[in-house]
Amino acid sequence: MDASTRQRIDDLITTSPVVVFMKGNKLMPQCGFSNNVVQILQSLGVPFETFDVLSDSEIRQGIKEFSDWPTIPQVYVKGEFLGGSDILIEMYNSGELREKLEVVLAS
């Protein structure tokens, strides 16, 4: 990944406390995994921003290298990679996600 793509990703993950790189956006997810993440975050009442990776192939590939995670969606909280759909589902079901977001967003 080139330096400008890395800088763009750095800028994107710091624009909001919670950022989701996904296919589509929170109003119109374009895949089931992205929709799962949107539904989870909305059910928790967490404000979040989205970036549609389908609109930018450099970011779509770059975010996978940036996080060393091969799939989309990807969730970032306060600039740190949290996980994808499966991880968020597990964390949500265990209650860990609510706790983590409350702590991180309160600071």
Side-chain angles (χ1 to χ4, degrees):
M1 157 179 27
D2 64 27
S4 69
T5 301
R6 179 171 294 281
Q7 184 60 53
R8 286 179 58 214
I9 291 170
D10 275 331
D11 292 345
L12 287 166
I13 64 175
T14 58
T15 58
S16 175
V18 180
V19 179
V20 181
F21 291 84
M22 59 182 282
K23 295 177 181 173
N25 59 52
K26 62 180 152 186
L27 299 177
M28 189 173 288
Q30 298 293 311
C31 82
F33 298 110
S34 294
N35 187 52
N36 288 343
V37 168
V38 168
Q39 296 301 315
I40 287 170
L41 293 174
Q42 287 178 338
S43 76
L44 294 173
V46 173
F48 65 98
E49 296 300 322
T50 60
F51 183 88
D52 181 4
V53 298
L54 298 176
S55 70
D56 190 318
S57 61
E58 287 180 6
I59 296 293
R60 183 177 184 174
Q61 187 55 41
I63 197 66
K64 295 174 186 179
E65 293 176 35
F66 186 87
S67 64
D68 197 24
W69 191 260
T71 59
I72 303 291
Q74 293 187 13
V75 179
Y76 285 78
V77 177
K78 293 272 180 124
E80 291 188 32
F81 177 61
L82 185 61
S85 178
D86 291 346
I87 290 173
L88 253 67
I89 290 169
E90 288 175 20
M91 291 178 74
Y92 176 77
N93 288 336
S94 73
E96 182 184 356
L97 182 61
R98 178 184 298 276
E99 291 174 19
K100 181 168 187 68
L101 290 172
E102 285 174 356
V103 169
V104 171
L105 297 178
S107 61

